[in-house]
Amino acid sequence: MSDWRVLALPPLPREALLSLFGTDRVELVTPTERTQAEVARLLPDVDVLLGDWSPSLRLPEPGPRVCFVQQPSVGTDGIDLETFSAAGVPVANCAGANTTSVAEWCVSATLSLLRRTVEGDAAVRRGQWPQTSLGGRELAGSTVGVIGMGAIGRRCAELFGAFGCEVSYWSRSRHDDAPATYRELEDLLATSDVVVLVIALGPQTRGLLSAERLACLKPGALLVNGARGEVVDEAALVTALASGQVGGAALDVFTVEPLPASSALREAPNVLLSPHMAGSTVQAAMSIVGQSVANLRRALAGEPVVDVVNGLDPVVRRRHP
C-alpha cells in the first residue's frame, strides 16, 4: 500500500505526473473533471496537493488530511493562505521561476505599444503601407513606474533602465537596495509615461488601480499588466482607454480567464491582449517543474521544504494516523 496519496491538479498526462515523484510510495490521484466540485470531493482523502499552475481551480480549505501544498507557479492567489495556515498546512510556491520571462514580456509589450507593432502588422496584411503615418515613440528616455518590487519588479527595473528609462517604483514596503527610485503611488502614476504592474494580488492590492487612481495617470500613459487582472478595475480601464486618459494597455491577465467574448476590452482601442502567457517560456516551465519536483520529494522524504509562503514550519507533518 502506498505511503502517500497525492492529488495532482495540473492538466498533464498521468504518466508524466507519475514520473515527477520517482517513488512507488505515492498513490497518484487526478480529477476526472476540472471543477471545484471534483476538487472538493477528492480533498478529504489525500495527503499532499500539487496545485494547478493557474488560479482557475481555487483551494478554499485543505480538508482533514492534506499536510502540504506545492503550487507549481509563483502566484498563490487561488489558495486561501490564511485557512491553510490556521490548519498548520505549509504552502510552497516556485519563487523566482518566471522572473525573467515575465519581466521580458513587460518590456516587449511596452515596445509593441510604443511602436504600434500590432497595427503595423494588421495594415500590411490588409495591403497597406503606413510607413510614416503610424508614428510611434522610442522607449529610451521614457519615465517608467513599476508597481511591485519583488523579483519580477527588480528585473523589470533593470531591463527598463538598460533602455535608458528613468525608473521609479512603488510597493507596499520600501526597498533601500531597489534598482529604482521610490515614489508614493499617486506621484508615480502622475509622472510615468509607462506604468508596469507586477505586484502580488491580495486584499491590499485587489482593485488597486481603481477609477480614481486611473484618473491620476499622466494623460496618455501606457499601462502594462503582468500581475493579476483583479489588480485593475477593468470597467474603469475601458472608460479610460476610450477617453484617451490611458493611451494604451498591454494585458496578460484578466479578472475572468479566458477573457469572455462579451468583454469590452476586446473592442477597446490600442490594447494588446495576451493569454496569460508572460511567464510561459520553455525556461520558466523547466524551472517550475524542477522546483516543484524537488520540493515534493523533500516533503515525501521528511526533509524541510523551501519557498513556504504562509510562514509555517517547512517540515511536513502528517495530519492523520
Side-chain angles (χ1 to χ4, degrees):
M1 182 175 179
S2 301
D3 295 337
W4 298 87
R5 300 191 84 229
V6 179
L7 173 58
L9 298 182
L12 294 173
R14 186 176 178 84
E15 295 74 17
L17 289 168
L18 278 170
S19 69
L20 300 180
F21 300 99
T23 174
D24 57 5
R25 296 174 55 206
V26 170
E27 178 184 350
L28 184 68
V29 180
T30 54
T32 55
E33 54 184 22
R34 294 179 57 76
T35 64
Q36 291 295 131
E38 176 69 353
V39 173
R41 183 183 72 83
L42 296 172
L43 269 178
D45 297 316
V46 297
D47 305 297
V48 173
L49 178 62
L50 176 62
D52 193 11
W53 45 60
S54 77
S56 57
L57 293 179
R58 297 187 177 274
L59 305 174
E61 56 89 28
R65 287 179 52 161
V66 171
C67 56
F68 176 59
V69 177
Q70 174 62 46
Q71 181 64 12
S73 65
V74 176
T76 57
D77 46 290
I79 303 173
D80 187 336
L81 293 179
E82 290 187 4
T83 300
F84 278 75
S85 296
V89 179
V91 177
N93 73 344
C94 295
N98 62 3
T99 294
T100 296
S101 298
V102 176
E104 287 185 354
W105 180 88
C106 289
V107 174
S108 66
T110 301
L111 287 167
S112 293
L113 288 175
L114 285 169
R115 302 306 299 270
R116 303 182 68 179
T117 306
V118 174
E119 294 100 317
D121 174 84
V124 172
R125 292 176 187 276
R126 290 194 300 266
Q128 301 169 349
W129 197 255
Q131 183 175 10
T132 57
S133 61
L134 277 179
R137 292 183 289 153
E138 295 178 355
L139 178 57
S142 299
T143 57
V144 176
V146 178
I147 296 180
M149 195 41 65
I152 296 172
R154 288 174 181 273
R155 188 61 180 144
C156 280
E158 292 168 353
L159 293 177
F160 280 106
F163 273 88
C165 299
E166 178 185 340
V167 185
S168 59
Y169 81 97
W170 176 85
S171 69
R172 288 163 292 177
S173 57
R174 297 181 66 151
H175 302 268
D176 293 336
D177 60 344
T181 303
Y182 179 85
R183 292 183 184 273
E184 294 296 339
L185 181 56
E186 282 69 22
D187 185 27
L188 179 146
L189 295 174
T191 57
S192 297
D193 299 311
V194 182
V195 174
V196 179
L197 285 166
V198 285
I199 197 166
L201 178 65
Q204 294 175 306
T205 60
R206 191 177 301 275
L208 182 70
L209 288 197
S210 59
E212 292 76 16
R213 288 209 171 104
L214 288 170
C216 293
L217 281 168
K218 185 177 182 179
L222 304 181
L223 179 64
V224 176
N225 191 358
R228 285 291 187 264
E230 295 94 325
V231 175
V232 180
D233 182 331
E234 288 183 351
L237 176 59
V238 170
T239 300
L241 285 160
S243 71
Q245 172 65 21
V246 176
L251 309 173
D252 185 53
V253 288
F254 307 93
T255 300
V256 177
E257 296 181 2
L259 185 65
S262 60
S263 173
L265 287 169
R266 291 175 176 264
E267 306 301 327
N270 201 20
V271 175
L272 174 65
L273 303 176
S274 173
H276 203 148
M277 59 176 285
S280 299
T281 60
V282 172
Q283 294 90 336
M286 291 177 64
S287 294
I288 286 172
V289 170
Q291 289 176 232
S292 295
V293 168
N295 234 14
L296 286 166
R297 290 181 178 175
R298 290 186 191 101
L300 300 183
E303 301 171 1
V305 296
V306 300
D307 298 326
V308 175
V309 297
N310 58 339
L312 296 185
D313 188 326
V315 176
V316 175
R317 295 177 174 83
R318 288 183 181 271
R319 298 174 63 217
H320 74 287

